[in-house]
């Protein structure tokens, strides 16, 4: 048959991707140069596998008795296997993703993807995990499908008055995990962490800003974007939303590495009227030098420090009390995260914390129901 809308996508060592056209069926794969796709890789058989047309007009993968096997989504073939777009295929250890696109096929000239393509694959003992199985759905999510946001209140430690919300990304896409942590793991595999961070922030601020008039909106950033011009461009766009939200940028502990970069960041944020907070303070290195040289408007003490603080040793309580006092002397506002019990809240008040965030004073609520 003629050219098909199917492609095999591979990734080379520098992270770039190569697309191999399945220009006819059957389409053979193996080590010999007589195959339609020739792969120079230890462990492949001379004629390893073949892509065929099934009775329903779909694509079928058949192992040709290879020594080291053919795998679909990390499961070794025991017989002919029907394929679907975004399936991950391993010919021995050589990894490919199957893609489908009528428009791509129509727009691509025949000589763009030669029928005989040589590639070199490392001889590894385990199947690699270069591709993400639900990448198409993830890209749909970045484009807005299933994008959602929640907000958690930040309150005055003594009066309980609502002073701000922290914006939290959420996912309602039916084929993706709802947990932001798992989504960022997917994003990391695709090298799209910054895109995910921007998407969460852009959607969330637009949804929350009309409901957060008069209070702050704490927004998260990814360490890879914090000091970039693109990040500031995105902030400018958010500040142009109706009501001009009162943004507070949370700078993750891992991004606080150099005093000069932090000083520049603080100046740029101040220039556009945006405050900033040091997030997860105390979770890793305390970053006392940066805190002293470039005081933040807010310092969010990590929940690992706050949780069960009322039951902590006298030594730990004294340490936290000293840190809170230092933060106050620098002119910053100390915020206790993860407060779940009244006893925790009380000792935080006694130590000088001015703001509290946690289940005790409010769980995250979906923005549309806020």
């Amino acid at each position: 048959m003629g050219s098909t809308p199917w492609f095999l996508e591979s990734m080379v060592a520098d992270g770039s991707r190569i697309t191999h056209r399945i220009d006819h069926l059957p389409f053979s794969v193996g080590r010999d140069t007589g195959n339609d796709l020739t792969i120079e890789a230890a462990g492949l058989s001379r004629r390893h596998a073949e892509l065929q047309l099934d009775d329903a007009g779909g694509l079928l993968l058949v192992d040709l008795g290879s020594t080291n096997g053919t795998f679909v989504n990390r499961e070794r073939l025991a017989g002919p296997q029907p394929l679907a777009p975004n399936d991950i295929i391993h010919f021995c250890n050589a990894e490919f993703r199957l893609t489908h696109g009528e428009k791509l096929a129509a727009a691509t000239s025949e000589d763009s993807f030669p029928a005989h393509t040589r590639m070199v694959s490392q001889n590894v003992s385990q199947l690699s995990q270069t591709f993400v199985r639900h990448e198409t759905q993830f890209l749909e999510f970045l484009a807005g499908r299933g994008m959602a946001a929640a907000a958690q209140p930040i309150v005055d430690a003594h009066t309980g008055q609502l002073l701000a919300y922290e914006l939290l990304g959420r996912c309602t896409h039916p084929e993706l995990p709802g947990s932001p942590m798992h989504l960022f793991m997917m994003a990391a595999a695709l090298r799209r962490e910054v895109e995910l961070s921007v998407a969460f922030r852009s959607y969330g601020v637009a949804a929350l800003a009309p409901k957060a008039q008069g209070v702050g909106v704490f927004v998260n950033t990814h360490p890879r974007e914090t000091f970039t011009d693109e990040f500031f461009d995105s902030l400018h766009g958010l500040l142009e939303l109706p009501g001009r939200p009162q943004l507070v940028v949370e700078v993750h502990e891992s991004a606080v590495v150099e005093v000069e970069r932090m000083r520049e960041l603080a100046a740029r944020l101040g220039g556009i009227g945006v405050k900033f907070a040091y997030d997860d303070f105390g979770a890793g290195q305390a970053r006392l030098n940066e805190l002293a040289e470039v005081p933040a408007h807010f310092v969010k003490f990590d929940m690992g420090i706050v949780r069960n603080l009322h039951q902590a040793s006298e030594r730990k309580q004294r340490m936290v009390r000293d840190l809170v006092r230092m933060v106050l002397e620098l002119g910053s506002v100390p915020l206790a995260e993860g407060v779940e019990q009244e006893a925790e809240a009380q000792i935080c008040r006694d130590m000088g914390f001015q703001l509290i965030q946690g289940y005790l004073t409010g769980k995250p609520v979906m923005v549309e129901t806020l």
Side-chain angles (χ1 to χ4, degrees):
M1 62 177 294
S3 182
T4 79
W6 295 97
F7 300 83
L8 286 172
E9 185 179 15
S10 62
M11 185 174 289
V12 295
D14 65 358
S16 59
R17 302 188 181 200
I18 300 174
T19 304
H20 312 270
R21 177 195 290 276
I22 301 173
D23 59 350
H24 61 272
L25 293 172
F27 185 90
S28 61
V29 178
R31 193 156 41 87
D32 274 356
T33 56
N35 290 288
D36 298 300
L37 176 61
T38 301
I39 305 173
E40 291 184 348
L44 261 79
S45 298
R46 294 182 184 279
R47 280 181 56 81
H48 196 96
E50 189 172 79
L51 293 159
Q52 303 175 359
L53 187 69
D54 69 14
D55 295 337
L59 202 59
L60 201 66
L61 179 60
V62 178
D63 184 86
L64 300 178
S66 68
T67 301
N68 294 309
T70 303
F71 302 78
V72 175
N73 300 324
R74 303 179 68 81
E75 296 291 334
R76 185 164 182 166
L77 264 61
Q81 172 74 43
L83 297 176
N86 296 306
D87 277 344
I88 306 302
I89 301 172
H90 287 86
F91 305 105
C92 185
N93 292 316
E95 184 184 53
F96 296 82
R97 183 179 59 184
L98 182 70
T99 58
H100 181 279
E102 296 283 356
K103 293 181 180 179
L104 179 62
T108 306
S109 62
E110 290 294 331
D111 58 358
S112 298
F113 302 96
H116 294 73
T117 305
R118 289 178 176 268
M119 61 174 291
V120 178
S121 177
Q122 294 182 349
N123 181 20
V124 294
S125 58
Q126 295 182 346
L127 300 182
S128 61
Q129 300 182 65
T130 301
F131 295 110
V132 176
R133 175 158 170 69
H134 294 293
E135 179 173 350
T136 297
Q137 292 87 343
F138 183 81
L139 296 179
E140 292 175 353
F141 178 67
L142 287 182
R145 183 188 176 196
M147 186 70 65
Q152 186 173 29
I154 297 172
V155 305
D156 184 287
H158 294 277
T159 67
Q161 179 186 356
L162 174 68
L163 296 179
Y165 288 106
E166 179 178 359
L167 186 64
L168 304 167
R170 293 292 186 265
C171 173
T172 60
H173 192 294
E175 298 176 74
L176 292 175
S179 163
M181 180 181 69
H182 288 98
L183 289 169
F184 270 104
M185 290 173 63
M186 293 181 68
L190 295 167
R191 302 183 181 183
R192 292 178 177 268
E193 304 102 303
V194 171
E195 290 179 60
L196 179 58
S197 179
V198 171
F200 271 143
R201 189 168 55 245
S202 299
Y203 176 89
V205 173
L208 180 59
K211 303 183 178 186
Q213 298 295 315
V215 300
V217 178
F218 282 62
V219 296
N220 290 284
T221 61
H222 191 275
R224 287 179 52 190
E225 67 173 325
T226 308
F227 302 105
T228 65
D229 291 335
E230 291 77 11
F231 172 60
F232 280 89
D233 290 341
S234 72
L235 291 182
H236 278 290
L238 297 179
L239 293 173
E240 293 174 357
L241 291 171
R244 187 180 172 87
Q246 301 174 25
L247 297 181
V248 180
V249 170
E250 297 194 15
V251 181
H252 192 270
E253 189 268 343
S254 62
V256 185
V257 291
E258 298 175 21
V259 168
E260 288 307 316
R261 295 192 80 185
M262 281 307 309
R263 187 173 284 121
E264 179 184 354
L265 175 68
R268 293 187 71 180
L269 290 173
I272 60 175
V274 173
K275 296 181 179 181
F276 73 101
Y278 287 136
D279 193 20
D280 296 333
F281 184 69
Q285 300 181 49
R287 299 295 181 193
L288 298 178
N289 186 47
E290 289 82 4
L291 181 63
E293 294 290 336
V294 191
H297 298 90
F298 305 90
V299 176
K300 301 186 72 175
F301 282 66
D302 185 73
M303 65 178 62
I305 290 178
V306 173
R307 188 152 298 155
N308 295 317
L309 185 57
H310 61 295
Q311 297 175 342
S313 66
E314 182 179 345
R315 179 182 301 174
K316 178 178 178 179
Q317 290 186 6
R318 184 168 58 251
M319 177 199 72
V320 176
R321 193 182 301 272
D322 288 345
L323 287 173
V324 171
R325 183 171 61 250
M326 179 185 67
V327 167
L328 288 167
E329 288 174 352
L330 291 170
S332 301
V333 176
L335 186 158
E337 281 194 285
V339 177
E340 297 183 354
Q341 306 174 57
E342 178 56 37
E344 292 170 345
Q346 186 56 53
I347 194 170
C348 285
R349 298 185 194 103
D350 295 342
M351 288 182 172
F353 279 99
Q354 295 180 334
L355 300 178
I356 283 178
Q357 178 182 357
Y359 281 12
L360 178 69
T361 53
K363 296 182 179 181
V365 177
M366 298 303 289
V367 168
E368 61 266 24
T369 64
L370 190 65

